[in-house]
């Protein structure tokens, strides 16, 4: 479910050419997780744009204190990640990492 949620958001950012934790319809992280049926007690998200490989995006998140804090947070026990591309967009590649702990 987290991978599907990540894929939906990465695709939405790519198709609508934006980078934000709030999607084009105004939904946030929790609403997107709920929409995909993920029953959670904790949920978080890392997003990025422009990185051309998994290694580059993960390294970028690890170098960012807030993103790294999400990834290292022991509360999160599950993860789903997705990449979407749009050659006509500003950044070309868009990434979403959903982090969760099911209820």
């Amino acid at each position: 479910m987290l991978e599907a949620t990540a894929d939906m958001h990465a695709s939405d950012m790519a198709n609508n050419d934006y980078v934000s934790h709030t999607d084009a319809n105004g939904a946030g992280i929790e609403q997107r997780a709920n929409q995909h049926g993920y029953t959670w007690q904790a949920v978080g998200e890392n997003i990025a744009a422009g990185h051309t490989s998994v290694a580059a995006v993960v390294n970028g998140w690890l170098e960012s204190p807030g993103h790294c804090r999400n990834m290292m947070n022991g509360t999160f026990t599950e993860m789903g990640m997705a990449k979407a591309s749009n050659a006509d967009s500003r950044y070309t590649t868009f990434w979403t990492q959903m982090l969760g702990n099911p209820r």
Side-chain angles (χ1 to χ4, degrees):
M1 289 180 223
L2 290 176
E3 185 176 337
T5 305
D7 183 58
M8 180 186 79
H9 191 54
S11 295
D12 188 50
M13 289 191 299
N15 292 335
N16 293 293
D17 200 14
Y18 72 94
V19 181
S20 176
H21 292 287
T22 303
D23 72 20
N25 296 317
I29 301 162
E30 295 90 353
Q31 291 86 9
R32 288 192 298 278
N34 293 341
Q35 184 179 4
H36 279 92
Y38 187 70
T39 305
W40 53 273
Q41 59 183 345
V43 68
E45 178 182 76
N46 286 333
I47 58 173
H51 298 285
T52 57
S53 70
V54 172
V57 74
V58 170
N59 285 335
W61 285 332
L62 288 172
E63 292 173 1
S64 163
H67 293 102
C68 185
R69 193 168 29 258
N70 270 348
M71 292 170 67
M72 301 302 168
N73 185 335
T75 301
F76 299 129
T77 60
E78 299 180 340
M79 187 268 296
M81 187 167 161
K83 171 189 171 187
S85 300
N86 178 352
D88 296 326
S89 67
R90 179 177 174 191
Y91 296 106
T92 308
T93 56
F94 297 79
W95 302 83
T96 300
Q97 178 186 52
M98 289 294 300
L99 303 157
N101 185 350
R103 192 169 324 138

